[in-house]
Amino acid sequence: MPHTASLERLARQRTHAKLGWWGHAMLYLLVNLGLALLCWHQGRQWFVYPLLGWGIGLLAHGLSMVFMRAGSPWFERQVARERARLQASAASMSQD
């Protein structure tokens, strides 16, 4: 079981990541709403391009939060693989 300080640090990191994503999502909504209103007033439809482009970035941000956060199964598998590589490299160097 991880130490209490480690759990506290992990909880703070995850909370920071989630709040960062929510801030990003709120900014996305507000800016794109403003652009949509501006386009509606102008009778144009160009707001779709920043909406889609930024939306892809927001999606990537969310996916990275889910898959690359400390403690996620994918992240932990990658850490285990890297640890095994380092241990194998250290063992091979100590034999030389």
Side-chain angles (χ1 to χ4, degrees):
M1 175 104 185
H3 189 268
T4 304
S6 299
L7 289 176
E8 177 68 20
R9 187 176 67 247
L10 183 58
R12 288 181 177 278
Q13 287 173 343
R14 287 184 181 182
T15 300
H16 182 72
K18 288 176 186 177
L19 290 175
W21 186 87
W22 279 107
H24 187 179
M26 290 297 111
L27 187 61
Y28 169 82
L29 289 174
L30 290 173
V31 168
N32 283 292
L33 178 62
L35 291 175
L37 290 172
L38 178 65
C39 285
W40 174 74
H41 181 64
Q42 293 176 343
R44 298 184 178 195
Q45 300 298 319
W46 58 263
F47 79 95
V48 177
Y49 301 110
L51 182 81
L52 292 174
W54 193 351
I56 291 169
L58 184 61
L59 176 64
H61 185 173
L63 290 174
S64 72
M65 199 176 70
V66 170
F67 291 107
M68 295 183 194
R69 66 180 167 81
S72 74
W74 183 86
F75 182 85
E76 295 304 326
R77 281 193 306 272
Q78 299 310 310
V79 169
R81 285 181 187 165
E82 190 60 30
R83 187 180 301 117
R85 284 187 197 117
L86 289 170
Q87 288 172 344
S89 177
S92 112
M93 291 176 91
S94 68
Q95 291 176 358
D96 291 339

